[in-house]
Amino acid sequence: NAGVTQTPKFQVLKTGQSMTLQCAQDMNHNSMYWYRQDPGMGLRLIYYSASEGTTDKGEVPNGYNVSRLNKREFSLRLESAAPSQTSVYFCASSESRDGLTEAFFGQGTRLTVV
Amino acid sequence: EDKVVQSPLSLVVHEGDTVTLNCSYEVTNFRSLLWYKQEKKAPTFLFMLTSSGIEKKSGRLSSILDKKELFSILNITATQTGDSAIYLCAVRGGSYIPTFGRGTSLIVHP
C-alpha cells in the first residue's frame, strides 16, 4: 500500500540548475497538492490540482511550474533554482472535493540549492 | 483568504505533563479542521473535526472544535517522549484546499 510516493528524497542543486520533483498516488484521488516547508513556517501551498487536467497557483508559486500528467501523477518543476528554494517539499493528495476528507502526504524531498 | 494561527509555536514539557495546543482560524464556508503530527518526515493524520463531529478522542489525545469562536484545541494527557513532534492544524473551506498553520513544536523531556 504505497499511498503517495515522491522522488527523489534528497537533492542538491547549483543555482540556476533545473529539476523536476515527481509525485504519484495510488489512491485514485482527484486532488493533488505541492507544499513547501521551511523552519517555523508550517506548510505553504505552491500549486494544486483539483482534478486531472487542471492546475492552479497557491500561496507561493513564483519560480515553480507543475504538470498534472494524469490522475496519478503531479510533478513540480524548478526551471532555474535559487537558494531561496532550499526547502522540504511535500506532495499530498485527497479523495474528495467536499472538504470532508484528510490529505495524505508523501515522505518529502529535501532540496538544497547552493 | 483562509488563515490558520497556531499557538504556542513551541512548548517544552516533562513526561507526564498535560499539554493544550491551540488553533484559531478564519475560513470562508468552513468544511473541516484537521490535526496532523509530524515527526522527522511526512505529516501523519490525527483527527478531522467537522460541523457534525466537533469532538474526537484517541487514547491520550483529544480535540474539540468551537465553530462559534473559530478555534480548536488538541489535548495530550500524560505526555511521553514519543509525543515530541510538530503538530500541524489545517482547515478546509470553500476552496477545499487544506490551509496550514505554522505548527506547534512540542518537546517532551524524560
Side-chain angles (χ1 to χ4, degrees), chain B residues 1-22:
Chain B
E1 181 179 321
D2 299 345
K3 185 177 178 182
V4 177
V5 178
Q6 292 186 246
S7 64
L9 292 180
S10 64
L11 194 54
V12 181
V13 301
H14 288 94
E15 273 193 321
D17 288 349
T18 293
V19 298
T20 298
L21 310 183
N22 302 293

Side-chain angles (χ1 to χ4, degrees), chain A residues 11-83:
Chain A
Q11 183 72 49
V12 178
L13 290 179
K14 294 182 179 179
T15 297
Q17 286 186 318
S18 63
M19 78 162 295
T20 299
L21 282 65
Q22 307 286 353
C23 175
Q25 50 92 8
D26 62 3
M27 296 173 282
N28 202 36
H29 286 170
N30 284 307
S31 301
M32 298 185 73
Y33 316 90
W34 276 105
Y35 291 91
R36 61 177 288 173
Q37 186 174 37
D38 303 296
M41 295 298 292
L43 293 166
R44 292 185 292 170
L45 184 68
I46 305 171
Y47 270 92
Y48 67 99
S49 171
S51 61
E52 184 179 355
T54 68
T55 62
D56 284 289
K57 296 178 180 179
E59 179 186 355
V60 288
N62 291 344
Y64 305 95
N65 284 302
V66 290
S67 295
R68 183 75 182 265
L69 304 171
N70 47 55
K71 192 171 186 179
R72 290 186 65 249
E73 298 172 286
F74 188 38
S75 62
L76 178 72
R77 183 161 177 83
L78 287 70
E79 291 290 352
S80 179

Side-chain angles (χ1 to χ4, degrees), chain B residues 16-54:
Chain B
D17 288 349
T18 293
V19 298
T20 298
L21 310 183
N22 302 293
C23 175
S24 63
Y25 63 90
E26 297 174 19
V27 64
T28 302
N29 194 15
F30 174 85
R31 295 290 187 172
S32 59
L33 186 143
L34 308 166
W35 283 99
Y36 287 84
K37 178 182 181 181
Q38 184 180 26
E39 297 173 89
K40 294 296 184 184
K41 295 185 178 179
T44 54
F45 174 71
L46 293 174
F47 297 122
M48 181 171 66
L49 302 160
T50 67
S51 298
S52 59
I54 61 172

